[in-house]
Every structure is written in structure tokens, then in C-alpha cells.
Amino acid sequence: LSNAENWFCECPKLYSGKLCQFATCDENPCGNGATCFPKSRRDAVCLCPYGRSGILCSDAINISQPSFSGMDAFGYTSFLAYSAIPNITFYYEFHLKFQLANHRSALQDNLIFFTGQKGQGLNGDDFLVLGLRNGRVEYSYNLGSGKATIISKPLDLTLNIHVIHLGRYLQKGWLKVDDQKNKTITSPGRLVGLNVFSQFYLGGYREYTPELLPKGSRFNNSFHGCIFDVQVRTSMDQEFKSPGTPEGHPDSGRSVGQCKDSPCSLIQCRNGGQCIEGGSTVYCDCLTGWKGAFCTETVSVCEPEHDPPHQCKQGGTCVPLPHGYTCQCPLGTTGTYCEQG
């Protein structure tokens, strides 16, 4: 429904809020398979799936250069997951470019991509991983008989866009970053094939339990910034292709935006609320005393979110008054706050 200058939702019983945001995530208000997270007892945040944006993830967005937002305040990472890359066992080459959100994000142990065996996090689990640690690019793989790792020189942070080329043939791996010299390594042990079954994860992992990932592949944070032009080939005479089936299309993702777009430009938080954005996910963080999707509703003095909380003791019921509140005392108690027997 809308009146001259505003719109609102007419909510059925038990629902409240400008968007009828429901009591919590029990009745999930988020659309299109978004991850619902209760921001408070009455408000939910919708962490948008791939290709969706907005407060309820109802807006479709076109993503040509994905931007990743690291880990959000609720402990979820942004990521894209592509179908497993076929024929990667004996030979692969990857090209990709990335742009950091800020200089700090090169120092925080950030994952760029991962594919591997998911298991008990054992030493012998095969994996292939690329990430940033202490301002350097780190490329590791384990073919099952020990880990090989190549670490680049520190990134030149005056560059806006960084370019990575890497590859492996049997045990021998190589990495080239920007205009640094090519570095090579040979993996230990006797095994020569990479046996991985997982999807190809870009920017982060689906579930953030690094303990489940193979030892030596654990980057604790997801990427913060943009990753684009990811290309792979698994034999010398092949053309480079984007990952995914169909090509370039991820199977799933979360909180991934389009590089340089700002979802906060589309919504207005009221009453001093701050707009928080992470990739395609966007919500208002309200000042004390305000709630609702756009911080337009006041928190009543009797609600559990009210700061300070009401003082009614021993099962007393809080009843709001025009100024302050009063406590309705159950049988056998008395006093302003039902504190006396």
C-alpha cells in the first residue's frame, strides 16, 4: 500500500515492521534462497545469494566482475562456487586478476581460490589453494604425499590491479605475480596426480569451518575486493576457459556484488542508522532505540532490545506509559518493580 509520500506493508497478525520482517528467521522474509540471519529478536538480515541484491534480496543484479566482501559481522563469508574443474589431475594453468578493497586486506590471510578433498582435515588430503598472506601471494598444492608452497615477493600496493599466472605439471608447480620473476617448486613424495572432488571456490568457502579443510590449505579469511577474468586450461593444446557449467556461471554464491557498485546508494537508513554493505548484501545498523529495516520504528521501553532493559522483577509485566513504564505485579509481590514479597 502507498500514500502520497511513503509506502508500507499491511501485515498479517504476528508480523510487524515496514517490510513485515516477521519475528525472526522462523518465517523467513528473505527471498530467492537467501541466508536469513536474525539481527535482533525482531529484525532479520538477508545475506543475498549469487545474482541477487537488496534488503530482501529481491533485486536481480548482473555480475561480470565479482566483488567479495570478506567475512561479515555474522561470521559468514562471501564466495562463489563453480562446478568441479574436470581433468585437473596432471596438468593445469590458471590466469586471474584481482583488485584489493584496501591495503590492509592483503595482510589478513585471505583466500583467493580453493578446490580439494573435504574430509577430516588430514595431512594426506589433496588440495589446490591460492591466497594472500602478509602482503604476498601464496600458492600451495598437495598431491597426497606432502605439500608444495610458493610464496611471491611482497605485492606492489601502488598497483591498482594485480595479475597472477600459475600452473602445475605432475609434481612441478610455478607461479608468476605481476612483473615479478617466475618461481617454481617440486612437490615432495612420489605422487603425481591431484585428486580433488570439491567444487571450485572463489573468494571464500561455503561453510566456514577451516578445520574441515585439508591441513596446509587453511586461509582463515575470505577475499576482500574484486577478482575477475579467472581462466583455466587443463592441457597445453586447450584454449583458456572460464570455470563453471555453463562456462562462466557459478552453481551458487553468497554476498557477492558487482565490482564498483554500491548497494547502499539505493537505500536510505533513517534516524542515524548506518548502511552496512557486503557485496550484494545490504542492511541498516540502527542506533539504540530504533529498529526495523530502515530504522524507522522506535523500540518500546518494554521490549527486550531496549537499552537499558526494564526493571520489572519476579515475573512482573512491563506496561509502557507516555513517559516511562510501570510494572504490573503478579500475586504475592509488590513495589515499584515488584521487588518486594
Side-chain angles (χ1 to χ4, degrees):
L1 303 172
S2 78
N3 53 26
E5 54 176 19
N6 220 329
W7 55 269
F8 59 98
C9 301
E10 189 150 64
C11 302
K13 265 206 209 74
L14 296 178
Y15 302 117
S16 65
K18 184 164 180 177
L19 299 175
C20 307
Q21 297 98 296
F22 309 103
T24 55
C25 290
D26 302 344
E27 300 275 356
N28 187 344
C30 306
N32 301 301
T35 304
C36 179
F37 194 88
K39 178 170 68 155
S40 68
R41 292 197 190 190
R42 305 184 75 90
D43 279 333
V45 171
C46 302
L47 310 178
C48 297
Y50 175 72
R52 292 282 170 176
S53 184
I55 283 209
L56 294 179
C57 305
S58 48
D59 310 336
I61 53 168
N62 194 12
I63 297 175
S64 55
Q65 298 190 336
S67 88
F68 299 87
S69 48
M71 179 129 30
D72 64 26
F74 313 109
Y76 286 94
T77 58
S78 69
F79 73 89
L80 289 178
Y82 294 86
S83 55
I85 293 172
N87 309 324
I88 199 172
T89 316
F90 300 116
Y91 180 92
Y92 56 74
E93 267 182 277
F94 285 90
H95 292 177
L96 62 96
K97 297 177 184 153
F98 68 87
Q99 196 168 9
L100 296 167
N102 50 49
H103 287 176
R104 210 175 53 247
S105 61
L107 302 171
Q108 291 173 327
D109 193 15
N110 303 93
L111 178 83
I112 299 174
F113 71 60
F114 167 84
T115 183
Q117 294 176 5
K118 286 285 295 298
Q120 310 308 309
L122 302 172
N123 247 334
D125 285 350
D126 290 22
F127 66 82
L128 158 64
V129 70
L130 178 71
L132 295 173
R133 221 188 290 271
N134 303 329
R136 300 161 185 261
V137 174
E138 187 174 310
Y139 159 43
S140 288
Y141 56 92
N142 188 340
L143 309 179
S145 54
K147 181 171 96 153
T149 299
I150 305 179
I151 299 174
S152 77
K153 288 192 172 128
L155 287 172
D156 174 357
L157 294 177
T158 61
L159 292 173
N160 185 21
I161 291 179
H162 300 278
V163 181
I164 296 182
H165 291 185
L166 64 87
R168 180 187 66 85
Y169 173 58
L170 304 178
Q171 290 177 301
K172 194 177 169 82
W174 55 270
L175 169 71
K176 178 156 175 51
V177 175
D178 297 332
D179 48 12
Q180 299 181 15
K181 275 216 330 261
N182 193 18
K183 293 182 115 174
T184 60
I185 195 163
T186 303
S187 59
R190 311 178 67 164
L191 297 176
V192 296
L194 177 72
N195 298 300
V196 295
F197 320 115
S198 84
Q199 290 172 292
F200 178 73
Y201 289 100
L202 193 66
Y205 304 115
R206 167 171 285 138
E207 53 281 275
Y208 223 76
T209 40
E211 295 66 60
L212 287 177
L213 298 167
K215 278 194 172 54
S217 73
R218 295 176 194 166
F219 283 83
N220 291 323
N221 300 296
S222 57
F223 190 79
H224 195 191
C226 303
I227 304 176
F228 38 95
D229 299 349
V230 180
Q231 300 270 297
V232 59
R233 68 177 182 181
T234 51
S235 82
M236 287 289 247
D237 43 19
Q238 237 180 26
E239 295 286 298
F240 275 93
K241 277 167 89 166
S242 304
T245 323
E247 191 189 336
H249 289 263
D251 292 348
S252 63
R254 178 173 57 223
S255 297
V256 172
Q258 168 68 352
C259 204
K260 307 228 187 347
D261 277 8
S262 161
C264 276
S265 61
L266 304 174
I267 73 164
Q268 223 173 353
C269 305
R270 307 284 180 175
N271 301 308
Q274 193 188 355
C275 181
I276 308 282
E277 60 181 34
S280 58
T281 291
V282 61
Y283 65 96
C284 294
D285 196 19
C286 305
L287 289 178
T288 302
W290 295 96
K291 62 176 187 179
F294 301 107
C295 309
T296 48
E297 300 154 55
T298 52
V299 176
S300 143
V301 66
C302 287
E303 284 182 55
E305 294 96 321
H306 191 271
D307 189 15
H310 69 76
Q311 296 297 309
C312 302
K313 305 275 190 287
Q314 308 200 62
T317 306
C318 177
V319 179
L321 299 173
H323 301 287
Y325 63 96
T326 181
C327 298
Q328 271 183 354
C329 300
L331 207 59
T333 67
T334 183
T336 315
Y337 301 119
C338 315
E339 73 279 11
Q340 297 160 27

